[in-house]
């Protein structure tokens, strides 16, 4: 079946740098996308979402970009901090579905 | 407001035994989901309840897995008999009515079958 995938399983950055985590999704009909952060011993935590009628959405230090032409999603984290170290998952939702479909996850490691 | 809570946080059982995981969703959330993450892989959907009804159980791996949601409140996920490949982290999430709402996740139950 169709699935969401990630380009890089691990991303290492220096504190203060900007981070970019990428995600490729397969279902061109998906109309809602979410980024989750999972810290060790915790469940996935919602970071930011974007609907398919948008191509960019900004939050606090985070920006999500959606390129529907190539079915690509990215999460940009500005001024990355050690507390940002976690596994990041992108997820998509199909039209009319309540259910997020997750990808494999990218581990972000922030070096002080 | 209390979040989604799961019990136990860890469970180690022998192959062939039975384990029951519990999830208490956020009060008032009609939607409840179970997911599983096996080491290094994606978080896989198992099933979705709307109140006490199973809306979608297409992700349940086999008939050794049984999920219930009594009275539309808490939910249990029973694995009987457990196999080695059932090891992983089981997450529960809940959301309010409506497809455009955020799903909140519990901390997960780490199941190890030895």
């Amino acid at each position: 079946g169709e699935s969401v995938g990630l380009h890089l399983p691990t991303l290492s950055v220096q504190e203060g740098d900007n981070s970019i985590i990428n995600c490729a999704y397969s279902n061109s009909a998906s109309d809602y996308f979410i980024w989750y952060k999972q810290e060790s011993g915790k469940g996935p935590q919602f970071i930011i979402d974007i609907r398919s009628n948008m191509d960019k959405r900004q939050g606090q230090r985070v920006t999500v970009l959606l390129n529907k032409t190539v079915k690509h999603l990215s999460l940009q984290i500005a001024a990355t901090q050690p507390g940002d170290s976690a596994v990041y998952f992108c997820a998509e939702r199909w039209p009319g579905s309540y259910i997020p479909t997750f990808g494999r996850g990218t581990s972000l490691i922030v070096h002080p | 407001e209390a979040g989604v809570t799961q019990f136990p946080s860890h469970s180690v059982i022998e192959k062939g035994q039975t384990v029951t995981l519990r999830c208490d969703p956020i009060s008032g959330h009609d939607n409840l989901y179970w997911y599983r993450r096996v080491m290094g892989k994606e978080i896989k959907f198992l099933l979705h309840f709307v109140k006490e009804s199973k809306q979608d159980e297409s992700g349940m791996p086999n008939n050794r897995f049984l999920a219930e949601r009594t009275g539309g409140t808490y939910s249990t996920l029973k694995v009987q008999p457990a196999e080695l490949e059932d090891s992983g982290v089981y997450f529960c999430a809940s959301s309010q009515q409506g497809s455009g709402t955020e799903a909140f996740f519990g901390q997960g139950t780490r199941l190890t079958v030895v």
Side-chain angles (χ1 to χ4, degrees):
Chain A
E2 295 183 311
S3 63
V4 175
L6 295 172
H7 294 302
L8 296 174
T10 303
L11 177 65
S12 292
V13 301
Q14 290 296 126
E15 181 178 2
D17 287 351
N18 296 330
S19 303
I20 300 176
I21 301 172
N22 295 304
C23 173
Y25 64 94
S26 298
N27 190 347
S28 58
S30 292
D31 62 358
Y32 181 61
F33 305 88
I34 315 116
W35 279 101
Y36 288 93
K37 172 186 181 183
Q38 186 187 1
E39 297 175 275
S40 181
K42 298 182 181 179
Q45 178 184 9
F46 173 94
I47 303 172
I48 191 168
D49 59 359
I50 188 168
R51 298 197 179 276
S52 59
N53 61 353
M54 303 171 66
D55 54 18
K56 180 179 180 178
R57 190 165 187 221
Q58 288 184 296
Q60 186 177 13
R61 284 202 305 120
V62 295
T63 300
V64 55
L65 299 177
L66 175 63
N67 185 333
K68 293 182 290 293
T69 303
V70 294
K71 292 183 286 186
H72 184 267
L73 194 67
S74 69
L75 177 70
Q76 299 178 0
I77 305 173
T80 314
Q81 302 168 1
D84 295 327
S85 294
V87 177
Y88 289 80
F89 293 92
C90 68
E92 62 182 316
R93 246 174 33 191
W94 301 358
S97 172
Y98 293 83
I99 303 164
T101 299
F102 285 82
R104 185 176 166 186
T106 293
S107 177
L108 175 66
I109 300 171
V110 182
H111 301 281
Chain B
E1 178 185 275
V4 177
T5 56
Q6 292 184 245
F7 182 83
S9 56
H10 295 85
S11 180
V12 181
I13 62 171
E14 293 183 349
K15 176 182 173 181
Q17 289 186 323
T18 298
V19 63
T20 300
L21 313 181
R22 173 170 170 143
C23 170
D24 286 79
I26 292 173
S27 178
H29 281 193
D30 288 340
N31 294 297
L32 186 149
Y33 318 84
W34 283 99
Y35 287 83
R36 176 173 72 171
R37 187 180 184 210
V38 177
M39 281 295 288
K41 297 185 179 180
E42 65 266 33
I43 299 174
K44 287 281 196 181
F45 166 77
L46 297 178
L47 87 159
H48 169 214
F49 283 99
V50 177
K51 296 185 180 178
E52 69 277 5
S53 300
K54 292 177 186 176
Q55 189 75 13
D56 182 345
E57 53 184 329
S58 61
M60 294 287 265
N62 50 60
N63 59 9
R64 294 186 293 103
F65 289 74
L66 175 64
E68 295 179 321
R69 190 180 183 192
T70 306
T73 55
Y74 70 92
S75 175
T76 58
L77 179 64
K78 180 190 288 187
V79 185
Q80 179 183 28
E83 298 290 344
L84 298 178
E85 63 264 26
D86 300 332
S87 296
V89 182
Y90 290 77
F91 292 105
C92 174
S94 71
S95 68
Q96 291 178 327
Q97 191 175 21
S99 63
T101 56
E102 176 186 346
F104 295 86
F105 282 78
Q107 83 283 6
T109 293
R110 180 174 295 278
L111 175 64
T112 303
V113 183
V114 297

